[in-house]
Amino acid sequence: MTNAEILEAAFRRALAYRDEASDRPPRPVISPEDLQAAFDGGLPEHGEDGAAALAALAAAAEPGLNDTTGRRFFSWVIGASDIVGVAADWLAGAWGQNAGNYRVAPAASAAEQAAGAWLVDLLELPQGSSVGIVSGATMANFTGLAAGRSEVLRRAGWDLEEDGLQGAPRMRVLVGADAHSTVHAALRYLGFGRSQVEAVATNDQGAMDAADLERRLAAGDGPALVVAQAGQINTGACDPFDAIADACAKRGAWLHVDGAFGLWVRACPDRAHLAAGAERADSWATDAHKWLQAPYDAGVVIVRDPEAHRRAMSITASYLPVDERRPNPSDFVPELSRRARGFVIWTLLRRFGRAGVAEMVSRHCRLARRLADRLDGEPGLRVLNDVVMNQLIVGFGEDGPAEGRDAAARAVLAELRNRNEIFVEGARWRDREIMRVSVISGPLEDVDIDRAADAVLNAWRTVRADAPART
């Protein structure tokens, strides 16, 4: 087959998949065993026609795909891979640029630099901040905290890049008790053990208690990293950034903000107040594959001090060209070889513009409130968080004994999985089982929220009706 025929075959497959989204159940119905069997088998001894290989991939994969790009997915904070971003990603793949070095990939480097500047502007963060495009919030948190680790040790008279961690001044790390697991993963990768991380008290929405942070910082000395949060993963709550920044400034602590999805409210005039003060931090992490609807993967790290950022991340070798006029993307990320993710982010920022991003964030937050209003009046069902952003947590069995609530939540989630009308999952919050809902898929409208509300209410009513039989 010709190159054109191969690409056209992939295009037809992709278009058919997207066109069928409204008719497809959100969860796959194939068994795990049958799905694995579709991919297994001996390695072919000889290659096959490209179109046949693509057809085999689609036949094996599509029955096992969760429909994260459609209107029925509410489980995790996963964007819908906007079709314009998908098309840009295809071009990036076809162009085959290794976006580590300017001379190797000048267009990719230029796109990344422009997209980074646009993001800083859109999120109203300090002009002149450096930006790296990474795989996701885990690596964005890792990179921002690596810059912080290097800088606070430098201020304490220790050259981390030259002398390493052994013998360095002991650092303090203070993190909200309801921080996301990726923050703890990033800290572990950076050499901070669990016993080294201090959990700062949080309120009933998971937002950090700034007074507790200030007390803890005052009780010790030495270089310190503080991790705050824009958008708690269950409740959507943001930390009180101004008070936290005040406490950090008094002690010379590096303030990092994990804003994987919540930082995007700063682009939305009617929600920006939720993350007010976040601009006072030293570094920030967010994801373009969440509210910007980029296809996976596209995380972003932003650092106020470009030199601290570069010092922590840059990769040098005699064979790698250096152009002082043009920063290399690899100066600001953990990778040397990497996808040209900047093409996709640049394209989506053009596709939505400032107004389009603001509209989408505002719409999703409004839709989350609509869903909460639909659910909250039902007997025995209660929305447990203040719905200020796009996240809901829902408890069941609220009009019965507390010891029955976990079982009620599990039963509702099982009923929803069996019905396969919407995709939601559970979690533990404040030592109890809950259903969590994320409203972040790009195309969502009121009708989609009403369908989701009907699905949850019908599942709960079925569970309540069956309750005597279950006992």
Side-chain angles (χ1 to χ4, degrees), residues 104-194:
V104 174
S109 300
E112 189 161 324
Q113 184 172 338
W118 287 356
L119 285 168
V120 168
D121 180 29
L122 179 67
L123 299 174
E124 297 192 351
L125 298 177
Q127 294 297 310
S129 296
S130 50
V131 180
I133 301 180
V134 293
S135 57
T138 304
M139 282 296 101
N141 284 324
F142 170 87
T143 305
L145 289 167
R149 181 185 64 173
S150 173
E151 175 60 17
V152 297
L153 285 175
R154 185 194 67 79
R155 295 173 192 166
W158 186 266
D159 186 337
L160 175 67
E161 286 68 39
E162 181 66 25
D163 298 321
L165 277 174
Q166 292 190 30
R170 183 172 177 83
M171 295 184 62
R172 302 181 66 200
V173 181
L174 299 97
V175 177
D178 291 300
H180 194 270
S181 57
T182 57
V183 169
H184 295 281
L187 289 168
R188 188 172 73 250
Y189 305 156
L190 289 166
F192 299 109
R194 282 189 293 270

Side-chain angles (χ1 to χ4, degrees), residues 161-245:
E161 286 68 39
E162 181 66 25
D163 298 321
L165 277 174
Q166 292 190 30
R170 183 172 177 83
M171 295 184 62
R172 302 181 66 200
V173 181
L174 299 97
V175 177
D178 291 300
H180 194 270
S181 57
T182 57
V183 169
H184 295 281
L187 289 168
R188 188 172 73 250
Y189 305 156
L190 289 166
F192 299 109
R194 282 189 293 270
S195 65
Q196 201 169 349
V197 179
E198 299 180 46
V200 180
T202 53
N203 65 15
D204 62 348
Q205 300 296 303
M208 185 185 290
D209 181 340
D212 186 51
L213 172 67
E214 187 163 16
R215 285 191 295 270
R216 289 173 177 273
L217 285 171
D221 53 18
L225 300 175
V226 173
V227 184
Q229 186 168 223
Q232 206 283 327
I233 192 64
N234 291 314
T235 69
C238 290
D239 289 344
F241 296 114
D242 274 319
I244 291 170

